Amino acid sequence: MLNKLLFHRFPNIKSWLTRIQYELISTFDRDKNAIFMNFGYTAHHQGHEPIPLAKEEEIHRYPLQLYHHVARHIDWKNTDALEVSSGRGGGASFIMRYFKPRSYTGVDFSTRAVEFCRSHYKMDGLKFHHGNAEALTFPDNSFDVVVNVEASLYYPNITRFYEHVKRVLKPNGYFLYTDLRYEEKVAIWHAQLKNMGLKLIKEEDITDNVLKAMELDRERRIALVDKYVPAILRKQFYHFAGVSPNQTDTLPHLDNRRYWYFVLQKA
């Protein structure tokens, strides 16, 4: 409870601790199984068909479905895309293979993650760089699409990030964005997005879809923590993964946060 109060009042502490956890994952994941960091998405329970996946991708179905939902609302033909906070590259690889942009660049603050991606993914047009979401070094009007998935809640200065997104987007370019915020912060978050000066094409509360995916993916997440994380650190990593190892506590949690998806376009 104390950790939760500290994180809620002092988001920079949460950002710092989360970054440490994130770096540790690259150390613990010896078998390269943790290539996604997001909570996942599903609409199966709402009558929608699951997306077709290769057999070897099935284990990552729910995190992949989040990337599919983020990407599917625009035309990717002949686009140059940037993913800010691309993590361990699973989403970048998926979008490159399934939606086929001309190029896809992933940027992440973690040197370990970038090194992993460079060695693990070998695909024409897909590249990875070390960088800071609040200080992107790309020229103005460089990309047709900017993607950001479940990462901005840990940025100390979200306004600076939004300014860089707008700057690097080409005219008519798209910002594909999904993340979560505490319920009492959602209105402020929406106002910050409005102040970007981009046209809002689509907004959607997908909290129920994310929670359902977390429920269906619970056993895999627990197994990953149990396999790779030393016992002394597991409690915090279970929380980081949104699950509890207690068999009587099977429901996932988002800590009273709401999960939203947005498509915005630069004029």
Side-chain angles (χ1 to χ4, degrees), residues 95-135:
I95 289 179
M96 196 69 190
R97 288 180 288 111
Y98 279 72
F99 292 92
K100 303 185 185 307
R102 180 168 51 208
S103 70
Y104 198 101
T105 301
V107 170
D108 202 88
F109 74 90
S110 169
T111 54
R112 284 196 181 101
V114 172
E115 289 168 1
F116 169 83
C117 291
R118 287 174 174 173
S119 65
H120 190 63
Y121 305 105
K122 304 294 184 182
M123 198 180 310
D124 290 343
L126 179 61
K127 52 193 174 182
F128 297 91
H129 298 291
H130 179 262
N132 186 334
E134 298 170 14

Side-chain angles (χ1 to χ4, degrees), residues 137-157:
T137 58
F138 303 99
D140 296 358
N141 307 312
S142 296
F143 297 98
D144 302 287
V145 184
V146 174
V147 177
N148 187 253
V149 174
E150 201 177 303
S152 71
L153 69 162
Y154 300 121
Y155 299 165
N157 191 327

